[in-house]
């Protein structure tokens, strides 16, 4: 059974930090790509970061490079998103997702097959 469960969201001030966690089933965790997306009401769902099963290569959206870090703990079947220097424009629901394809890492949400329920991140100015 594939299951992804996010946690760690909350309300923080601009410049603050949060660490999101995504607990995954074994099958989900070993899929070629695990990623984080976010969705704000006035924006399309957008790619935030991804990490490969093969070699743990990391990929980031331009807006979060240098501020966010994706990582994984294979022993805990958990993927993390460390978010530093948060800005109000980072406010969104953040989703963990898995892509089962053996293909180049995608930044399009439609290429991801499994999703968590999301966790709200709100950054105040």
């Amino acid at each position: 059974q594939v299951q992804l469960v996010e946690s760690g969201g909350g309300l923080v001030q601009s410049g603050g930090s949060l660490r999101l966690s995504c607990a995954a089933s074994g099958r989900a965790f070993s899929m070629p790509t695990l990623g984080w997306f976010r969705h704000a009401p006035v924006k399309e769902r957008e790619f935030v970061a991804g990490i490969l099963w093969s070699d743990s290569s990391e990929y980031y959206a331009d807006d979060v490079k240098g501020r966010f870090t994706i990582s994984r703990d294979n022993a805990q079947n958990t993927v993390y998103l460390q978010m530093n220097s948060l800005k109000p424009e980072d406010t969104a629901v953040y989703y963990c997702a898995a892509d089962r394809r053996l293909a180049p890492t995608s930044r399009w949400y439609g290429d991801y097959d499994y999703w968590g329920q999301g966790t709200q991140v709100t950054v105040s100015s």
Side-chain angles (χ1 to χ4, degrees):
Q1 180 176 322
V2 175
Q3 185 174 356
L4 302 168
V5 181
E6 303 96 333
S7 62
L11 174 64
V12 298
Q13 296 182 46
S14 181
S17 298
L18 284 173
R19 189 179 74 159
L20 306 184
S21 298
C22 174
S25 70
R27 185 155 67 94
F29 192 73
S30 63
M31 288 184 181
T33 304
L34 295 175
W36 288 95
F37 288 77
R38 64 188 181 188
H39 194 187
V42 298
K43 299 179 180 179
E44 297 180 358
R45 186 173 300 192
E46 63 177 344
F47 175 83
V48 176
I51 188 165
L52 301 186
W53 169 253
S54 58
D55 62 0
S56 295
S57 296
E58 303 164 24
Y59 301 86
Y60 298 95
D62 289 343
D63 288 349
V64 307
K65 287 180 180 178
R67 299 189 297 122
F68 292 9
T69 303
I70 189 171
S71 62
R72 65 194 299 158
D73 185 336
N74 292 349
Q76 297 294 323
N77 284 1
T78 302
V79 62
Y80 301 97
L81 185 68
Q82 178 67 46
M83 304 186 295
N84 299 325
S85 301
L86 283 162
K87 306 174 181 179
E89 51 262 44
D90 295 318
T91 295
V93 178
Y94 283 71
Y95 297 90
C96 181
D99 182 357
R100 64 183 173 87
R101 302 173 308 133
L102 292 172
T105 299
S106 176
R107 285 169 160 79
W108 182 50
Y109 73 88
D111 282 332
Y112 287 73
D113 303 283
Y114 305 102
W115 295 82
Q117 294 297 306
T119 185
Q120 176 71 47
V121 172
T122 303
V123 185
S124 62
S125 60

